[in-house]
Amino acid sequence: MKINSEVIARTALRLLDDVGLDGLTMRLIAQDLGVRAPTLYWHVKNKQELLDAMATLVYVEAAERLEPPPDGSSWEDWLADWARQLRQAMLSHRDGARVLAGTYVNHEAVHRAVELNLRTLRDAGFTLSEAARGFPAVLHYTIGHTIEEQAHTSAAYGDDNPYTPERLAAMVDAERFPLTAQASTYLLGMDGDAGFEYGLRIVVLGLRAARQERERG
Amino acid sequence: MKINSEVIARTALRLLDDVGLDGLTMRLIAQDLGVRAPTLYWHVKNKQELLDAMATLVYVEAAERLEPPPDGSSWEDWLADWARQLRQAMLSHRDGARVLAGTYVNHEAVHRAVELNLRTLRDAGFTLSEAARGFPAVLHYTIGHTIEEQAHTSAAYGDDNPYTPERLAAMVDAERFPLTAQASTYLLGMDGDAGFEYGLRIVVLGLRAARQERERG
DNA sequence: AGCCCGCCTCTAACGACGTTAGGGAATCTA
DNA sequence: TAGATTCCCTAACGTCGTTAGAGGCGGGCT
């Protein structure tokens, strides 16, 4: 296969699942492409640019299957679905959230997704500035949650993941922190999808509440 | 000064502000302590453990000045203040959010903070499980927002930060993405505190709305 | 045909990194 | 005083991202 920057990024993403972000080296990527490491620098300026390209691929994966809300569907469901898709895109690669976090992705599909978010919210009765400041809140929540989740469930720990519910429960002194001990199952998104969904609902409800407060003056 | 793991972590945090996370090397930290790099390994198992200790310091900085809500103050204000303090702790160090993200901090002050969050919310009428799943949402939003913010304003770019409002505006095709172009100032938390505050309000309003929905059945 | 030039890959190597091995001085303990 | 413990050192290993510079391979010009 002909090598170019996108092929390199796709290969890197595939290897990422095996070795994790810390194990992802230029030499390894090159080897997988049947080439030596310096060759990559003909196609890619440096490793950071490659990481940006990987982030773009992940982001675009979620953004490009985004459709305008069908008639009769609520903006709440649509927005939540967008957050779920973004989360799934991150979860579908080891350390995906870490790769994505803090990378501004400049790609047409993403602009389209942003525009679609703004339009959907505005059509639902939000001010443009409400929409423009509100939907990043969904985004930031999603990123924050997924980073934390992937860190805790990371395959980097072999068989001794320190974040099992039992270990977490053992860490806290149930005498001094009774509520924490009692709720340790729920804490820190350790229950995966359910924890994410709960927080997502909160953010969406918050958007609605913020709009209603403005409308009531 | 006598060297121990905490002194090392404090030194590392101070140096972090100058050189950034990518420039923070064991040799540099050792040099600042008047010592050679291998010496650090007498006090610290490896660099990851040191990074965890740094994250703990940042987190504790926010957690330990946390007080129970004074009489007459609302849980909304108290919770928002806690989020602001956490954010300030991250912002007060270059790459602070990246250091914190994904590190489970196991320290008494943090357990205290968690317990205080749970108790405050429960006293305000939340179920324990609502509280245990709700306050991480605030946390995750705060982390997500601050990571993104610090990435965009990073001093790693010299004088050519690609995330200035003008550059972002120039990137989007105003014909095809009119709302995005129009709202580019607000997007992605580029307006710092105001953007954070807006999202924070949304999350807090969302918590209240979620509770009300349950109460109404 | 002969030539050149841009494209792409190579070998070799540089400097920096995290980390380990092993030695030695000082300080505490018995 | 003898031995153990604590803390720091020098030296070095293997790996990383990255650069320099040479060369092969192809298509388009003269």
Side-chain angles (χ1 to χ4, degrees):
Chain A
M1 176 160 33
K2 205 88 172 60
I3 291 181
N4 59 46
S5 64
E6 190 185 322
V7 169
I8 295 177
R10 302 208 106 94
T11 304
L13 267 184
R14 181 163 37 78
L15 290 173
L16 182 64
D17 295 337
D18 291 337
V19 299
L21 188 53
D22 296 335
L24 190 69
T25 70
M26 297 300 271
R27 283 172 171 86
L28 181 70
I29 299 165
Q31 188 187 34
D32 197 88
L33 288 164
V35 123
R36 307 293 187 133
T39 299
L40 299 181
Y41 287 85
W42 177 260
H43 305 278
V44 160
K45 200 173 77 201
N46 52 38
K47 192 179 184 182
Q48 187 54 54
E49 189 181 284
L50 171 56
L51 290 172
D52 288 355
M54 293 166 62
T56 300
L57 283 180
V58 174
Y59 209 131
V60 166
E61 188 183 330
E64 72 185 358
R65 60 162 150 254
L66 198 66
E67 301 290 331
D71 286 356
S73 82
S74 68
W75 66 267
E76 286 98 333
D77 288 345
W78 186 86
L79 191 62
D81 265 336
W82 155 237
R84 287 186 197 104
Q85 272 179 34
L86 185 61
R87 173 175 138 93
Q88 267 317 116
M90 289 190 277
L91 286 183
S92 74
H93 294 101
R94 162 125 83 120
D95 295 327
R98 261 171 79 200
V99 170
L100 214 66
T103 310
Y104 182 76
V105 174
N106 187 24
H107 185 284
E108 195 232 322
V110 173
H111 293 155
R112 213 181 115 258
V114 171
E115 183 78 8
L116 216 47
N117 269 282
L118 293 176
R119 194 161 64 227
T120 302
L121 288 177
R122 211 206 36 186
D123 289 352
F126 287 89
T127 305
L128 180 56
S129 94
E130 279 176 341
R133 280 176 159 160
F135 101 88
V138 179
L139 206 98
H140 291 144
Y141 164 71
T142 302
I143 289 180
H145 184 99
T146 310
I147 278 202
E148 216 76 7
E149 178 179 4
Q150 272 187 333
H152 295 345
T153 63
S154 167
Y157 320 105
D159 293 332
D160 58 328
N161 188 321
Y163 302 123
T164 63
E166 306 88 55
R167 296 214 186 184
L168 289 180
M171 278 176 182
V172 306
D173 180 348
E175 302 277 327
R176 300 171 57 203
F177 311 114
L179 298 179
T180 307
Q182 203 176 332
S184 66
T185 317
Y186 302 131
L187 287 172
L188 294 175
M190 289 306 299
D191 53 352
D193 283 348
F196 175 74
E197 287 293 333
Y198 192 88
L200 180 57
R201 181 161 158 272
I202 283 177
V203 178
V204 171
L205 285 177
L207 281 168
R208 183 161 66 189
R211 190 193 52 180
Q212 285 172 344
E213 290 218 344
R214 173 182 51 78
E215 287 171 347
R216 281 200 305 266
Chain B
M1 178 164 25
K2 204 90 173 61
I3 292 181
N4 59 45
S5 64
E6 190 186 322
V7 168
I8 294 176
R10 303 209 105 95
T11 303
L13 267 185
R14 182 163 37 79
L15 291 173
L16 182 65
D17 295 338
D18 291 337
V19 299
L21 188 53
D22 295 336
L24 191 69
T25 70
M26 299 299 271
R27 284 172 170 86
L28 182 69
I29 300 165
Q31 188 185 32
D32 197 88
L33 288 164
V35 123
R36 308 292 188 135
T39 299
L40 300 181
Y41 288 84
W42 177 260
H43 305 278
V44 160
K45 200 174 79 204
N46 52 38
K47 191 180 183 179
Q48 188 54 55
E49 189 182 283
L50 171 56
L51 289 171
D52 288 355
M54 292 166 64
T56 300
L57 283 180
V58 174
Y59 210 130
V60 166
E61 188 183 330
E64 72 185 358
R65 59 162 151 252
L66 199 65
E67 300 291 330
D71 286 357
S73 83
S74 68
W75 65 268
E76 287 98 333
D77 288 344
W78 186 87
L79 191 63
D81 265 335
W82 156 236
R84 288 187 197 105
Q85 272 178 35
L86 186 61
R87 172 174 137 94
Q88 267 317 117
M90 289 190 277
L91 286 182
S92 73
H93 295 102
R94 163 126 82 122
D95 294 327
R98 262 171 79 200
V99 170
L100 215 65
T103 310
Y104 182 75
V105 174
N106 187 24
H107 186 283
E108 195 232 322
V110 174
H111 293 154
R112 213 181 115 259
V114 172
E115 184 77 10
L116 215 47
N117 268 282
L118 293 177
R119 193 160 65 228
T120 301
L121 288 178
R122 210 206 37 188
D123 289 352
F126 287 89
T127 304
L128 180 57
S129 93
E130 279 176 339
R133 280 176 159 161
F135 100 88
V138 179
L139 207 96
H140 291 144
Y141 163 72
T142 303
I143 288 180
H145 184 99
T146 311
I147 278 201
E148 215 75 7
E149 178 179 4
Q150 272 187 334
H152 295 345
T153 63
S154 168
Y157 320 104
D159 292 333
D160 58 328
N161 189 321
Y163 301 124
T164 62
E166 306 88 54
R167 297 214 186 185
L168 289 180
M171 280 176 181
V172 307
D173 180 348
E175 301 277 327
R176 300 170 57 204
F177 311 115
L179 299 179
T180 307
Q182 202 175 333
S184 66
T185 316
Y186 301 131
L187 287 171
L188 296 174
M190 288 308 297
D191 52 354
D193 283 348
F196 175 74
E197 287 293 331
Y198 192 89
L200 180 56
R201 181 160 159 272
I202 283 177
V203 179
V204 171
L205 285 176
L207 281 168
R208 183 161 67 189
R211 189 194 52 181
Q212 285 173 344
E213 289 218 346
R214 172 182 52 78
E215 287 171 347
R216 284 199 304 264

